[in-house]
């Protein structure tokens, strides 16, 4: 390699007379001018950069000194209208001396203690062997509420609400009864409901027993049909039993 000669490069393999192919013309919409005119036509003032024309302030209306300070009200003479305290006694004033009481405070105090009612000790309780004392009344160990006169008595507002609920239930029952008479419906009694429920449970036991007696291998179409039929009967019986157990009041249509 000759150090004085041109350096080797892959770009030297490109012929020198090669030129780049001309670029295709850029697409320009035929509606460009129409869209531009529409935008200029319907463009409102103050939409982007504020009002188009703004009044320039006059140089005569410059900010003057103390122009923004608050104007205080005029001064008034202070007058004290509240009542003043009594004056301080003079140094030459002397208190009244020599006044004595004939009351025997020792005997009076002794009589008050003898004739007074003894103070009851505050009830406390000790919960540790170290002697920690606590107030007994606020501890919850004293049965206060069971000794009240109204303990265990139903509040008046609950009694009033129960009466309103009972009255509403009676009105609803009367409304249902009237509609049932019009629709020829009959209400099942408790004995009839229990008899129907027991009958459904007995039928379910019989179908379940028959289902248990099926063969282990269901290898024919009649056996499959028989199994599906028993399963549907058991499912329907379980549904009917659940409805009767859930609803205490049952209505049925009268037979014509």
């Amino acid at each position: 390699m000759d150090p004085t000669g041109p350096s080797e490069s892959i770009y030297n393999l490109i012929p020198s007379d090669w030129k780049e192919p001309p670029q295709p013309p850029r697409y320009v919409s035929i509606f460009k001018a129409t869209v531009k005119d529409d935008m200029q036509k319907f463009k409102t003032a103050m939409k982007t950069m504020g009002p188009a024309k703004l009044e320039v302030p006059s140089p005569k209306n410059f900010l003057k000194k103390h122009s923004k300070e608050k104007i205080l009200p005029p001064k008034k003479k202070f007058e004290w209208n509240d009542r003043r305290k009594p004056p301080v006694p003079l140094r030459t004033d002397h208190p009244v001396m020599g006044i004595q009481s004939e009351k025997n405070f020792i005997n009076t105090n002794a009589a008050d203690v003898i004739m007074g009612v003894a103070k009851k000790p505050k009830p406390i309780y000790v919960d540790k062997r170290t002697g920690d004392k606590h107030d007994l009344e606020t501890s919850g160990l004293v049965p206060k509420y069971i000794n009240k006169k109204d303990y265990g008595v139903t509040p008046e507002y609950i009694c009033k609400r129960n009466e309103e609920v009972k009255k509403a239930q009676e009105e609803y029952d009367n409304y249902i009864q009237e509609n049932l008479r019009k629709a020829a419906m009959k209400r099942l009694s408790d004995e009839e409901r229990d008899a129907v429920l027991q009958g459904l449970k007995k039928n379910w036991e019989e179908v379940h027993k028959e289902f248990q007696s099926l063969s282990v291998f269901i290898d024919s179409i009649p056996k499959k049909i028989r199994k599906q039929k028993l399963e549907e009967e058991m499912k329907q019986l379980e549904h009917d039993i659940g409805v009767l157990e859930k609803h205490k009041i049952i209505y049925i249509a009268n037979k014509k």
Side-chain angles (χ1 to χ4, degrees), residues 79 96 103 109 136 168 171 178 192 203 208 211 216 224:
E79 296 180 359
V96 181
K103 182 178 179 180
N109 294 339
L136 183 61
E171 293 178 356
E178 185 66 24
E192 293 175 345
N203 293 342
H208 185 261
F211 180 81
V216 179
K224 292 182 180 179

Side-chain angles (χ1 to χ4, degrees), residues 8 12 18 23 46 58 64 70 84 89 103 113 130 134 136 165 174 192 195-196 212 232 246 256:
E8 295 183 356
N12 295 334
W18 182 85
Q23 296 290 337
M46 298 183 296
S58 174
K64 297 181 180 180
K70 294 183 179 180
R84 296 180 180 274
K103 182 178 179 180
V113 172
T130 55
H134 303 281
L136 183 61
V165 172
N174 296 335
E192 293 175 345
V196 174
Q212 293 291 336
E232 291 177 359
K246 183 178 180 180
K256 296 183 179 180

